[in-house]
Amino acid sequence: MKDSLPRYTLRVPQILLDKIGYIAASEGRTKNKELEQLMRKRIAEFEEKHGKISLKEETTDR
């Protein structure tokens, strides 16, 4: 099934990828979804401190 989500290649030390994989599996998520959750949390923390980030084109979340 194709989707319209953009792709991004992440270069990261193997040990970090392995540990994220471990955490993701323990939470019943994929590594990708675990990273997405971490990104959402970090963005929320940033916006709470600095205000909402406004972008030209807001995209809808899946």
Side-chain angles (χ1 to χ4, degrees):
M1 181 172 97
K2 286 191 171 189
D3 61 47
S4 62
L5 294 174
R7 304 290 191 255
Y8 181 82
T9 301
L10 178 67
R11 293 182 301 277
V12 61
Q14 186 65 50
I15 190 70
L16 293 180
L17 188 60
D18 293 345
K19 287 182 178 187
I20 284 295
Y22 182 92
I23 295 167
S26 72
E27 298 290 331
R29 290 194 275 259
T30 64
K31 286 184 262 190
N32 189 75
K33 285 296 180 186
E34 186 65 29
L35 290 169
E36 187 177 329
Q37 289 297 317
L38 290 169
M39 292 169 75
R40 288 178 189 280
K41 181 179 178 187
R42 177 62 181 118
I43 290 166
E45 291 170 354
F46 183 92
E47 288 184 328
E48 187 175 315
K49 183 176 180 181
H50 300 284
K52 182 165 173 47
I53 299 168
S54 293
L55 304 175
K56 272 187 176 180
E57 279 188 40
E58 289 286 333
T59 57
T60 57
D61 294 341
R62 282 195 150 183

